[in-house]
């Protein structure tokens, strides 16, 4: 049985490192450090779940969400935002764009594991 594929799009190396350490043994994890890099990877990878930061330079998470949800090939992939933006308006905007869940940093391992299990 193949392992589920998770794509992490986050420019924060600490958060990415934590997520890789938490998930790497159980899932096939790919991490990229920019929104544009995430969009590029999606040309050759179809993940089962995307973990996405919002605050990134050049192409931010909101732009990535719009790209994902605007493409027939990627529109159905569950997207969970993991962001330091904790205002309700940030969460509401991301949900309006079509994300499936929104978790604020710092990430709690139990919350991440429960969320992943809900979508995979």
């Amino acid at each position: 049985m193949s392992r589920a594929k998770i794509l992490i799009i986050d420019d924060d190396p600490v958060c990415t490192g934590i997520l890789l350490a938490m998930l790497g043994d159980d899932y096939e994890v790919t991490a990229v450090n920019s929104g544009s890099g995430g969009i590029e990877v999606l040309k050759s990878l179809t993940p089962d779940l995307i973990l996405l930061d919002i605050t990134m330079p050049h192409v931010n998470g909101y732009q990535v969400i719009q790209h994902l949800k605007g493409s027939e090939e990627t529109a159905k992939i569950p997207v969970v935002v993991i962001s330091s933006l904790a205002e309700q308006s940030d969460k509401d905007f991301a949900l309006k764009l079509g994300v499936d869940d929104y978790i604020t940093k710092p990430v709690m391992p139990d919350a991440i594991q429960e969320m992943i299990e809900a979508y995979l």
Side-chain angles (χ1 to χ4, degrees), residues 24-25 37 46 51 68 97 99 103 110:
D25 291 341
T46 303
L51 304 179
L68 290 168
L97 290 176
V99 302
I103 298 173
D110 291 345

Side-chain angles (χ1 to χ4, degrees), residues 30-117:
T30 302
V32 295
N33 63 4
S34 68
S36 58
I39 291 169
E40 188 64 30
V41 164
L42 287 166
K43 293 177 182 175
S44 61
L45 172 73
T46 303
D48 298 297
L49 176 67
I50 297 172
L51 304 179
L52 175 66
D53 186 22
I54 294 295
T55 310
M56 295 181 285
H58 309 294
V59 177
N60 66 38
Y62 295 130
Q63 293 165 307
V64 173
I65 296 163
Q66 289 172 319
H67 175 83
L68 290 168
K69 299 306 178 182
S71 169
E72 194 174 303
E73 293 83 28
T74 57
K76 301 280 189 217
I77 300 170
V79 178
V80 175
V81 168
I82 300 178
S83 178
S84 58
L85 299 177
E87 296 293 324
Q88 187 63 42
S89 60
D90 298 312
K91 181 177 181 178
D92 291 344
F93 186 63
L95 292 169
K96 181 180 172 187
L97 290 176
V99 302
D100 296 277
D101 211 338
Y102 194 104
I103 298 173
T104 55
K105 293 178 183 178
V107 295
M108 297 299 179
D110 291 345
I112 294 293
Q113 194 60 45
E114 286 176 23
M115 175 273 309
I116 289 172
E117 289 171 8

